[in-house]
Amino acid sequence: MKSETGFDPAAYARFPTKAPRPEGELEELKQIWCAPKGAEYLTAVNNNYIGLYYLGGAFLFFVLAGILALLIRTQLALPLNGFLGEETYDQIFTMHGTVMMFLFAVPAVEAIGIALLPQMLAARDLPFPRLSAFAFWAYFLGGLAFFCSIFFGVAPNGGWFMYPPLTSGPYSPGINADFWLLGIGFIEISAIAGAIEIIVGVMKTRAPGMSLDKLPIFAWAMLAFAVMIVIGFPAIILATLLLELERALNWPFFDALRGGDPLLWQHLFWFFGHPDVYIIFLPAAGLTSMIIAGVARTPLVGHNLVVLAILATAFISFGVWVHHMFTTGLPHVSTAFFSAAGMAVSVPAGLQVFSWIATLAAGKVRWSVPAYFAVGGLTIFVMGGLTGVMLALVPFDWVAHDTYFVVAHLHYVLIGGMVFPMFAAIYFWTPMFSRKRLSERLGRWAFWLMFWGTHVTFLVMHLTGLMGMPRRIYTYWAEIGWTAPNVISTIGAFMIGAGVLIVMIDLIRNFRFDTDNNAGNVFDAGTLEWLPTGLYSARSIPVVKSRYPLWDDPQISEDVKEGRYFLPNSATGERETIVTSPINAEPQYLQRMPGPSWFHLGAAAFTAAFFLLLTVKLYWIAFAAGAVAIGCMWRWAWSLDLPLKQSHADIGAGIVVPTYGAGKTSHGWWAMCTLLIVLGMIFVMLIFSYIFLWSRQPAEWPAPPGLMTFGFCAALCASAILASVRAPRTYRARPGLAAGLFAFSAAAIALSWLASLADWHAHGLEPELGAHDALIAMFLSWEGVFACVVVLMALFALARKAAGLLAPERTASIESISLFTSFAAAQALVALIVTRIFPLAV
Amino acid sequence: MGRWLLLLGGPLIWAAHFLAIYFIASLAEQLRGETGLLARALILATGGGAIVAALLVLAAARRLSTQDALDRFWRLIAQTGAVLAIIAVLWQSLPALAPI
């Protein structure tokens, strides 16, 4: 194999080592990765805890949203039922969809990723444990507060996709819609934080030798999931920002009377919303692939093609957003393109289904509860997929749009594609985290109740839809003839509820968290997460030579447990993991990992408080909470990139690597690049919004101010780019000069922003009057936020210089600041061109 | 970077083609109020260009080494992805042939 980094793969032959390990080494490892006590459970960052907290939180929201579903079904069971009032019903169905999609589905798969990936990749932990913990706490605290809005009658009531103009100020004057718009804000932040963690984790912290062809399917799926979040979530972030600004400041982005367009919301929402279905489905499909191979005790058939299917699904799903907008009057040819893409996306999904069927046929299946849930989910998902192809046909969609047929379809897809695989995963991987496995008997009861409950509820619901029952109505007349199918659906919903209740009883009875004395590899699966583990993950990190190391090397578990592979100890006396190259997984350096801390917890709590206080219009307290959140993040960042005790460490068998990575090798560089892609995508969506609204009324688009200020601002931005790119290059020789260059860049960006602001103000900018001015104000606000952040970063660099924490040999922080500052300047330059040159050019 | 482009070449070509034809159709609607003959010809030409690009990816992938498992994996994904892209581009171009 050709080396990617200069590392000699022949060195892998030194493992497993033969010499006995020193006394006390394992005890030291256990001490460093010890379990929290008392209040330390709040500050814990280890993936075993955060993964389970996250999963517990997601399961809680699943149950809460499920209870809401039962209330909906009770109300709809009989005609003219008075169980729920109209307004309460609106809030309950909106919260059911919102909580299931934003507080359950995405966080649940992220949770499973955080819980399983380090063990599956044989890393000690994911590379940013505090970021995972931050993501969890922001999501959980904010999510609970968001959910409680329903008890005060102020929960969102505009449907889970919140279309304006219904949700604009005049038609939704209360704070219900604001709860959705701002409440979703912290969930987006949490999802993106988790996605960054997963991308860098999968690309950079794999066991040595685990080249991409040996990467477990679930890791591929999580990689695609995280990349899709990075590309897709920015659209919903921008959409929620725009609608909240329209509601709070009367900036008319979606008001057709003032040059806005409600369709802009639909484009932005569904550019996120349709891929979101695959964001949820792909990791669940990854779980199914792993479980089916495990229970069939044979390698996944067509592994490489399944990888291709995951990649293809990730791409094609972004070409399907208009699938939800066929009835909005878009041009027929454009609609046909999306119809074609809607059908095409079923091909890679189908490929995975055939792979699972072939694997089941090729192996010797042990029909345990995970197998039942995996195969049951497969069946349900295929049925949902088939109605999906029907809905991709434009004429059929015109008939079925906004009827219960669509509700039945989406529940088949999501329950089969995500919920059943999640339950399969709970039953399959519980022995990894618990002293006892879950009950087979209770699990089978739960499965059959949920399986038949799903069909009883939703199969008949297709018919209800074809009989004409529209979505979102809170009652109906008996004479219409919808009573019988609704009664049947309600019975089915309670069957599903009973199944979930049995799983909860099973978890309460049998789940006992323990990593050191867990139930073990009860399914005889072949992947690395089934190695003997502790809170430090595997005792030693094995060299990976195949996709199913435990099947191909029966001795590997014993060798790993005895410390005969990489990093059998703590090489630096701290928490650490091996950072490897992205393709071949060759060891590059030893990453020191942060331990428990209050700062990420404070940052999460006050970030959630900031958004929720904004919702209830306590602006000054909200801004104070925001300031405290920033303070916590500052302190958190301050504790990173500190001086090293030793520059190199032996990670086993005499292989010595640095204890620090910089540049493109560094995990920090990867994380910053991923963050910039998120921010860049938000900006691209803003440009799309500008061009979209321009295309609605090009003749009435006002002329921009003169080019004098444009030239001045462009020169400032260009000089900021040059200075910030130059800074890391001068850093090794003169750290102080580098900090000064950042200060110059920040000042140039801030000055350019102020000059632009003044120029537009002098030009008569009135954001309330029309969509053009509102968009310009949005561009300026966006740049203003970046100007503030780069000023904070420059102050951070100067403060580190003053504290003597800038050292020439440690460049990672400076490189991150350089990347962000260059990006901010380049973005400001593009904004200048779009807002001032584009209108003159067209 | 080149290796990654080859691996993802097929899906990337599909995505670029999709965006391009959506843009052409939208522009035609904006300027002329319909996706007329010229726009449809452009859409088909874009499809032709995308297929040529996918064939180039296919040819480049065929030159990849098959020495070890990782090389074979890379080659298989790149080749199959390019073939899928050709089929998907053809499929995606069909609406341009529908009656006006």
Side-chain angles (χ1 to χ4, degrees):
Chain A
M1 185 192 290
K2 196 178 151 197
S3 173
E4 191 182 356
T5 61
F7 177 84
D8 181 9
Y12 291 146
R14 299 179 199 173
F15 300 98
T17 54
K18 303 288 182 239
R21 299 303 310 169
E23 288 283 321
E25 188 181 76
L26 180 59
E27 285 65 32
E28 187 196 10
L29 198 60
K30 283 183 176 171
Q31 178 59 32
I32 290 169
W33 292 88
C34 64
K37 296 177 195 72
E40 289 169 2
Y41 279 98
L42 294 173
T43 60
V45 294
N46 184 281
N47 81 293
N48 289 289
Y49 289 99
I50 296 302
L52 285 186
Y53 290 179
Y54 225 139
L55 202 50
F59 197 77
L60 171 69
F61 287 118
F62 173 72
V63 171
L64 292 174
I67 291 169
L68 297 183
L70 295 181
L71 297 180
I72 293 170
R73 286 311 325 162
T74 305
Q75 167 63 20
L76 291 178
L78 297 171
L80 296 181
N81 195 350
F83 178 66
L84 296 175
E86 188 176 357
E87 171 58 28
T88 310
Y89 183 84
D90 288 350
Q91 291 187 25
I92 284 179
F93 84 73
T94 300
M95 285 297 275
H96 166 70
T98 304
V99 173
M100 280 293 189
M101 294 302 283
F102 289 101
L103 292 177
F104 161 62
V106 174
V109 286
E110 215 155 58
I112 296 173
I114 287 171
L116 290 182
L117 278 175
Q119 276 85 342
M120 216 172 255
L121 306 175
R124 289 263 186 259
D125 201 334
L126 288 172
F128 306 103
R130 286 186 189 166
L131 192 64
S132 297
F134 168 82
F136 164 72
W137 286 111
Y139 146 77
F140 186 65
L141 297 175
L144 278 182
F146 173 67
F147 190 85
C148 286
S149 64
I150 202 163
F151 300 121
F152 300 94
V154 290
N157 53 3
W160 88 273
F161 36 76
M162 294 292 284
Y163 280 173
L166 174 65
T167 51
S168 296
Y171 303 101
S172 293
I175 60 169
N176 306 57
D178 301 308
F179 255 108
W180 194 95
L181 295 167
L182 292 168
I184 295 305
F186 56 78
I187 296 164
E188 290 154 354
I189 290 174
S190 165
I192 285 169
I196 291 172
E197 172 82 312
I198 286 164
I199 290 173
V200 184
V202 172
M203 296 306 288
K204 297 293 293 177
T205 59
R206 305 199 299 270
M210 189 189 272
S211 48
L212 286 179
D213 60 307
K214 301 184 193 81
L215 186 65
I217 283 290
F218 178 65
W220 270 111
M222 287 307 293
L223 185 61
F225 156 89
V227 170
M228 288 174 76
I229 283 187
V230 163
I231 304 294
F233 268 56
I236 189 71
I237 292 175
L238 181 71
T240 49
L241 265 176
L242 295 184
L243 186 51
E244 186 53 35
L245 285 170
E246 176 171 306
R247 291 175 55 82
L249 303 177
N250 195 22
W251 293 3
F253 303 106
F254 306 107
D255 180 357
L257 290 175
R258 290 181 283 169
D261 192 335
L263 274 191
L264 174 62
W265 170 270
Q266 294 198 28
H267 277 293
L268 293 174
F269 184 88
W270 290 116
F271 188 78
F272 143 81
H274 197 86
D276 192 42
V277 175
Y278 295 92
I279 283 173
I280 295 162
F281 165 67
L282 281 181
L287 293 171
T288 304
S289 295
M290 304 283 291
I291 292 167
I292 284 185
V295 296
R297 288 171 289 168
T298 189
L300 184 72
V301 173
H303 177 104
N304 292 346
L305 291 177
V306 172
V307 173
L308 180 67
I310 289 171
L311 296 175
T313 306
F315 273 88
I316 299 176
S317 66
F318 280 101
V320 193
W321 81 90
V322 171
H323 180 59
H324 301 265
M325 298 168 62
F326 286 161
T327 56
T328 56
L330 291 176
H332 286 186
V333 172
S334 299
T335 311
F337 292 147
F338 288 95
S339 172
M343 286 182 258
V345 79
S346 62
V347 174
L351 201 151
Q352 292 186 76
V353 169
F354 283 114
S355 159
W356 298 332
I357 294 169
T359 308
L360 288 167
K364 291 175 185 162
V365 183
R366 262 192 302 213
W367 287 101
S368 51
V369 176
Y372 279 104
F373 271 109
V375 175
L378 187 161
T379 314
I380 295 169
F381 176 74
V382 168
M383 292 172 74
L386 292 174
T387 51
V389 176
M390 291 166 74
L391 287 167
L393 299 165
V394 181
F396 183 83
D397 186 79
W398 284 343
V399 175
H401 186 80
D402 262 349
T403 69
Y404 263 88
F405 187 92
V406 178
V407 180
H409 154 71
L410 73 91
H411 280 89
Y412 260 92
V413 169
L414 293 173
I415 291 175
M418 191 272 163
V419 176
F420 271 58
M422 189 196 73
F423 279 96
I426 288 173
Y427 274 86
F428 190 71
W429 276 287
T430 290
M432 225 183 95
F433 295 100
S434 167
R435 280 198 293 280
K436 289 165 72 180
R437 62 184 290 184
L438 297 180
S439 160
E440 273 292 306
R441 189 172 56 88
L442 289 176
R444 286 181 196 211
W445 269 101
F447 167 75
W448 287 115
L449 277 168
M450 289 170 70
F451 182 75
W452 287 117
T454 300
H455 291 301
V456 171
T457 311
F458 298 109
L459 194 61
V460 73
M461 201 180 273
H462 292 99
L463 189 64
T464 322
L466 293 177
M467 289 164 79
M469 181 165 169
R471 303 170 71 172
R472 306 185 192 93
I473 56 168
Y474 83 109
T475 193
Y476 51 89
W477 294 97
E479 292 75 13
I480 301 180
W482 299 337
T483 309
N486 272 301
V487 168
I488 294 169
S489 286
T490 302
I491 292 168
F494 278 90
M495 287 169 70
I496 300 173
V500 175
L501 184 64
I502 289 175
V503 174
M504 288 167 66
I505 292 168
D506 199 1
L507 284 167
I508 292 166
R509 284 184 56 184
N510 292 313
F511 184 83
R512 298 291 178 272
F513 177 73
D514 197 332
T515 52
D516 290 324
N517 300 302
N518 58 28
N521 190 2
V522 296
F523 296 103
D524 296 326
T527 38
L528 292 180
E529 74 273 21
W530 295 106
L531 289 169
T533 57
L535 291 173
Y536 42 78
S537 188
R539 156 80 193 277
S540 58
I541 299 175
V543 176
V544 175
K545 295 174 185 163
S546 74
R547 286 176 186 155
Y548 300 92
L550 274 69
W551 286 343
D552 298 330
D553 178 2
Q555 190 59 32
I556 194 170
S557 294
E558 185 62 22
D559 287 337
V560 163
K561 194 176 168 187
E562 294 303 319
R564 294 177 189 137
Y565 281 102
F566 279 103
L567 213 58
N569 53 359
S570 171
T572 63
E574 296 181 49
R575 292 189 181 195
E576 58 202 11
T577 197
I578 300 173
V579 172
T580 49
S581 61
I583 296 176
N584 291 352
E586 293 165 2
Q588 289 184 301
Y589 66 95
L590 196 62
Q591 181 203 341
R592 294 170 306 153
M593 311 200 79
S597 145
W598 286 99
F599 299 116
H600 66 269
L601 184 61
F606 285 102
T607 302
F610 170 70
F611 282 106
L612 291 162
L613 289 165
L614 275 185
T615 309
V616 291
K617 305 197 186 306
L618 294 171
Y619 295 118
W620 288 110
I621 307 176
F623 287 124
V628 178
I630 290 171
C632 289
M633 289 176 196
W634 176 291
R635 187 62 189 79
W636 173 6
W638 193 266
S639 67
L640 304 173
D641 204 5
L642 293 174
L644 307 159
K645 285 183 198 155
Q646 60 187 89
S647 63
H648 289 76
D650 184 339
I651 55 171
I655 295 171
V656 175
V657 294
T659 55
Y660 190 84
K664 292 176 186 172
T665 308
S666 146
H667 58 287
W669 184 90
W670 279 73
M672 179 52 84
C673 287
T674 313
L675 175 66
L676 294 183
I677 294 171
V678 173
L679 299 172
M681 278 304 297
I682 298 176
F683 188 63
V684 166
M685 288 295 149
L686 183 56
I687 293 173
F688 167 80
S689 305
Y690 181 91
I691 294 172
F692 181 82
L693 291 184
W694 163 81
S695 74
R696 304 290 95 180
Q697 47 163 7
E700 292 167 38
W701 210 243
L707 291 178
M708 180 78 91
T709 316
F710 168 78
F712 175 67
C713 293
L716 281 173
C717 292
S719 60
I721 294 172
L722 288 176
S724 55
V725 169
R726 186 76 198 154
R729 295 178 193 167
T730 61
Y731 178 71
R732 282 186 189 275
R734 299 172 68 187
L737 178 61
L741 285 171
F742 285 133
F744 169 79
S745 299
I749 292 168
L751 188 59
S752 161
W753 173 63
L754 285 171
S756 224
L757 196 65
D759 199 27
W760 279 106
H761 185 68
H763 194 64
L765 188 74
E766 294 280 356
E768 301 87 6
L769 291 185
H772 169 268
D773 283 15
L775 278 165
I776 297 297
M778 183 63 207
F779 269 105
L780 289 169
S781 307
W782 185 247
E783 288 169 45
V785 170
F786 274 77
C788 293
V789 175
V790 292
V791 166
L792 268 177
M793 283 183 158
L795 289 173
F796 184 82
L798 290 169
R800 299 275 284 194
K801 170 79 180 82
L805 290 174
L806 291 188
E809 72 277 8
R810 287 183 287 110
T811 56
S813 299
I814 291 299
E815 282 161 355
S816 292
I817 295 176
S818 164
L819 279 170
F820 191 92
T821 310
S822 317
F823 173 84
Q827 182 181 253
L829 193 57
V830 174
L832 281 169
I833 292 167
V834 170
T835 55
R836 289 162 181 262
I837 304 297
F838 173 79
L840 299 175
V842 292
Chain B
M1 194 64 179
R3 263 188 111 180
W4 286 105
L5 276 179
L6 204 56
L7 184 82
L8 301 174
L12 279 171
I13 287 167
W14 176 86
H17 170 258
F18 184 84
L19 280 179
I21 60 175
Y22 175 54
F23 176 76
I24 293 167
S26 301
L27 193 67
E29 290 287 338
Q30 183 68 32
L31 297 176
R32 300 279 177 87
E34 62 164 10
T35 313
L37 273 177
L38 178 63
R40 285 164 185 254
L42 263 175
I43 287 167
L44 292 174
T46 309
I51 289 169
V52 170
L55 286 171
L56 289 175
V57 170
L58 196 59
R62 286 178 70 83
R63 284 201 295 277
L64 282 177
S65 151
T66 53
Q67 207 177 352
D68 60 42
L70 178 62
D71 290 334
R72 287 192 293 278
F73 167 81
W74 217 268
R75 182 175 148 131
L76 177 82
I77 301 280
Q79 280 186 341
T80 322
V83 171
L84 272 180
I86 291 170
I87 299 167
V89 165
L90 283 171
W91 171 247
Q92 205 69 63
S93 302
L94 285 179
L97 300 174
I100 296 176

